[in-house]
């Protein structure tokens, strides 16, 4: 049964909801993975991407307090922090000279005004004009639009004018209303998340997309989530990469278990097969672990993210990986998977090919 579905995907035909669901229900991981690898090679040949980047989380103070988030704190709570712009600049100064991307996301701070975010981006851009700024999830953008009183479009244009180059894919979680209501009742809806990304694409900001899986959602919820993303990508073409995010349960209100390695690989592979209009599928090594993310390169992923340096969101929730990795280690992982490492910038321009 799944052979026909996989043949269809490999020949470039689009999978429908029932077919995608049948793949999730199948235990034939090898066959699914091989098909995903072939589809991946159609998009990217033998290339696997990575970026010399640094993550910065300006604050963990957040008014939302999602049930699965172990990173956030309320204002005044023990462990709450807020970085000044000078402290952020200091962190970037400590990064290597070949830094290409800053990934900046944080909580919804109750008091910071919109001007603070504009100043943050502008100051970074002035001091580091050669570094791409990939910042603010759709959840933060919606919040910035609220606190500034500007429309979504105007908010995004102002951020772009001050130096925003791209947006990360966080905050998508699972679009299904009931599941989302239990995971993150305070968070913007799935349709608002999609609207923010649509508007970003319209004003010329490329973005990523994610899906948080392995908690209380069903396979059908995952499929519906992927189909919503595929539909928006058909109309805008503004997504660069899709990143499945493997749930980490420790220190969270939700609790539960880690998804299995089998589920991680299956989710990467099926994402590759369903999202026929996405060029890149990212195996985020921070969440998958170095060894499983290397295997994921044979199951449809063509990107490992980057050097990262400092990571709080996954590590607050029981992440077992180190917080950073060297460029040489990433190159080694990719080469040993039989692929060609490509160092990229935040917009997937090639910085260097390592043959
Ligand atoms: O928005 C929060 C998720 C996201 C947990 O776009 C959790 O290139 C697992 O979006 N277990 C932030 N996940 C990370 C993210 C990301 C990471 C790397 C690259 C890119 C990109 C985006 O992490 C949050 C939320 O969806 N998250 N808590 C948790 N306990
Ligand atoms: Fe806040 Fe984001 Fe954590 Fe939700 S996932 S509590 S929005 S930092």
């Amino acid at each position: 049964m799944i052979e026909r579905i996989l043949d269809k995907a490999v020949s470039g035909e689009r999978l429908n909801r029932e077919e995608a669901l049948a793949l999730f229900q199948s235990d034939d991981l090898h066959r699914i993975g091989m098909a995903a690898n072939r589809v991946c090679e159609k998009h990217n040949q033998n290339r696997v991407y990575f970026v010399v980047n640094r993550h910065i989380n300006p604050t963990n103070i957040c008014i939302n307090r999602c049930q699965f988030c172990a990173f956030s704190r309320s204002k005044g709570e023990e462990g709450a922090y807020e970085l000044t712009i000078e402290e952020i600049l200091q962190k970037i100064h400590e990064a290597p000279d070949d830094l290409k991307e800053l990934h900046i996301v944080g909580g919804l701070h109750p008091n910071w005004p919109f001007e603070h975010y504009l100043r943050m981006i502008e100051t970074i851009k002035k001091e580091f004009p050669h570094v791409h700024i990939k910042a603010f999830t759709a959840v933060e953008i919606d919040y910035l639009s609220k606190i500034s009183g500007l429309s979504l479009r105007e908010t995004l244009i102002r951020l772009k004018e001050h130096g925003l180059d791209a947006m990360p894919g966080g905050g998508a979680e699972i679009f299904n209303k009931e599941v989302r209501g239990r995971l993150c009742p305070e968070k913007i809806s799935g349709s608002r998340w999609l609207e923010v990304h649509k508007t970003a694409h319209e004003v010329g900001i490329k973005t990523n997309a994610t899906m948080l899986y392995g908690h209380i959602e069903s396979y059908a919820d995952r499929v519906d989530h992927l189909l919503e993303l595929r539909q928006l990508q058909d109309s805008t073409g503004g997504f660069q990469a899709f990143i499945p995010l493997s749930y980490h349960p420790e220190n969270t209100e939700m609790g539960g278990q880690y998804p299995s390695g089998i589920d991680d690989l299956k989710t990467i592979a099926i994402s590759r097969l369903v999202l026929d209009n996405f060029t890149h599928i990212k195996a985020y090594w921070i969440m998958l672990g170095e060894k499983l993310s290397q295997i994921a390169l044979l199951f449809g992923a063509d990107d490992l993210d980057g050097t990262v340096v400092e990571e709080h969101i996954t590590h607050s929730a029981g992440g077992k990986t180190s917080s950073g990795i060297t460029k040489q280690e990433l190159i080694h992982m990719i080469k040993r998977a039989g692929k060609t490492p490509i160092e990229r910038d935040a917009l997937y321009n090639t910085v260097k090919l390592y043959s």
Side-chain angles (χ1 to χ4, degrees), residues 205-242:
I205 300 171
K206 293 279 185 193
T207 73
N208 290 338
T210 59
M211 172 176 75
L212 177 65
Y213 66 92
H215 37 86
I216 54 168
E217 88 291 1
S218 65
Y219 284 151
D221 296 328
R222 293 189 199 180
V223 170
D224 290 339
H225 187 99
L226 295 175
L227 296 184
E228 294 251 36
L229 292 174
R230 188 171 78 181
Q231 194 181 351
L232 178 55
Q233 180 74 330
D234 272 345
S235 81
T236 66
F239 286 119
Q240 301 199 107
F242 174 69

Side-chain angles (χ1 to χ4, degrees), residues 55 68-69 103 134 168-171 173 208 210 212 243 245-248 252 282 284 287 305 313 317:
H55 282 208
F68 56 81
C69 177
H103 169 108
K134 181 186 74 173
E173 323 315 354
N208 290 338
T210 59
L212 177 65
I243 310 131
L245 301 176
S246 185
Y247 176 53
H248 282 55
T252 66
K282 196 186 274 190
Y284 183 37
M287 285 194 188
D305 198 76
I313 298 174

Side-chain angles (χ1 to χ4, degrees), residues 1-16 18-40 42 265-276 298-300:
M1 155 85 169
I2 71 156
E3 261 169 74
R4 185 194 57 78
I5 300 172
L6 296 175
D7 286 346
K8 195 175 160 185
V10 171
S11 69
E13 262 188 84
R14 183 161 270 197
L15 300 186
N16 63 32
E18 288 65 41
E19 290 162 338
L21 199 52
L23 294 182
F24 271 113
Q25 284 157 349
S26 162
D27 288 323
D28 203 341
L29 181 64
H30 285 112
R31 235 184 270 267
I32 295 171
M34 277 195 298
N37 190 42
R38 287 182 64 188
V39 171
C40 179
K42 282 192 174 186
L265 288 179
K266 203 196 254 189
T267 306
I268 293 254
I270 297 172
S271 304
R272 179 60 284 168
L273 295 170
V274 173
L275 296 175
D276 56 355
L298 306 178
F299 280 74

